[in-house]
Amino acid sequence: MKRTWLSLAVLICPLLMPAQYVLSQYTPGGGSAPYQPAVPSSSEAYGGYGGYYDGGGTTAAGSAMQGMASVVNAAGNYNLATSAAAVNMTQARKQGIENYNSAVTTYYQTREMNQAYQKAQRGPPPTREQLNRLAQAGMPKALESQQLDLVTGEISWPELLKSNEFSSHCAEMQKAFTWRSHYGAFNYEQLAKVESVANAMLSQLKSQVRDADPTAYSQAKNFIESLAYTARRPV
């Protein structure tokens, strides 16, 4: 009987081996092949102690041994299932990290490709000389001498601005530029007044855009803007 119990103890010890030991034998990403977890049934794993005890349950001792075998079988299956689940979780975590890294890498690569494409479409940036020419092209030009007499301050208005709708504004401008021709430059208040009148003339001109001749409209608009620009400069 002692020999029988000793044999049973030798058999039980390896079956109750903890899941941590099973996991320690597997390193994800290592040189060994990935572990494919599988949980066999108790009959496959331990055979119901059929290989070590065949006394059946005909006696009290045999029934006890049979019950102990069932307990050992269940414990072994539990440990194996636990270790397999832990390996599955490790593999899933590793795959999740790899998927995230792949998504981040793809995002930045796509953004760099898009930026390179946009840069190629825009071409080289403009030089400082080109920017200066563009800025000067968009600025109004000062009126020429045949448009504004620097000695008397007489303004030669375009035909479209000679209509009655602009008569009061033209009179205010003429008075201001006559004063300027004698004293050389406007002060801050006078310049603000001139620019206010110029804005009023542009608003009035804009209301006639549908009825006015396009060429005459463009000439009148440019003239008002040049007049306001000239007002900022001394004679």
Side-chain angles (χ1 to χ4, degrees):
M1 178 63 70
K2 291 183 178 180
R3 181 174 301 176
T4 302
W5 282 105
L6 180 60
S7 300
L8 180 61
V10 173
L11 176 65
I12 292 175
C13 289
L15 295 177
L16 295 180
M17 179 178 56
Q20 288 81 355
Y21 176 78
V22 175
L23 289 177
S24 66
Q25 306 306 308
Y26 170 73
T27 303
S32 61
Y35 173 71
Q36 300 297 330
V39 182
S41 64
S42 60
S43 60
E44 293 176 350
Y46 303 101
Y49 258 124
Y52 299 93
Y53 175 75
D54 56 0
T58 57
T59 65
S63 297
M65 295 293 290
Q66 187 68 37
M68 185 176 295
S70 298
V71 171
V72 172
N73 184 36
N77 282 334
Y78 172 79
N79 285 338
L80 183 58
T82 302
S83 65
V87 173
N88 278 337
M89 291 181 62
T90 301
Q91 290 179 334
R93 188 180 300 111
K94 177 184 176 182
Q95 188 63 47
I97 294 174
E98 291 177 353
N99 290 342
Y100 174 79
N101 292 337
S102 177
V104 172
T105 302
T106 302
Y107 168 77
Y108 282 105
Q109 288 177 346
T110 303
R111 190 176 70 170
E112 290 177 0
M113 292 173 59
N114 181 63
Q115 291 175 348
Y117 174 78
Q118 296 295 336
K119 183 177 180 180
Q121 292 296 315
R122 289 193 299 266
T127 62
R128 179 174 298 181
E129 291 76 11
Q130 291 174 331
L131 292 175
N132 290 336
R133 286 197 297 269
L134 290 173
Q136 293 176 1
M139 294 177 59
K141 298 180 179 179
L143 293 176
E144 300 179 358
S145 57
Q146 64 269 24
Q147 297 172 308
L148 174 64
D149 193 318
L150 299 180
V151 178
T152 63
E154 184 70 22
I155 302 174
S156 299
W157 299 99
E159 290 299 324
L160 188 58
L161 299 179
K162 292 179 181 180
S163 60
N164 294 332
E165 291 86 353
F166 299 95
S167 58
S168 60
H169 298 317
C170 290
E172 290 185 70
M173 283 292 198
Q174 185 60 71
K175 181 179 179 181
F177 276 88
T178 300
W179 184 94
R180 175 178 173 271
S181 65
H182 289 88
Y183 298 99
F186 292 124
N187 58 33
Y188 177 80
E189 293 181 357
Q190 291 171 322
L191 181 59
K193 178 64 176 177
V194 168
E195 292 182 347
S196 176
V197 175
N199 290 333
M201 295 180 72
L202 289 172
S203 298
Q204 180 63 35
L205 182 64
K206 187 176 180 180
S207 65
Q208 303 178 10
V209 64
R210 294 185 178 180
D211 302 327
D213 177 75
T215 302
Y217 178 89
S218 179
Q219 291 176 348
K221 180 176 180 296
N222 292 338
F223 188 91
I224 297 172
E225 292 175 348
S226 296
L227 188 63
Y229 175 75
T230 304
R232 304 189 191 102
R233 306 173 62 185
V235 177

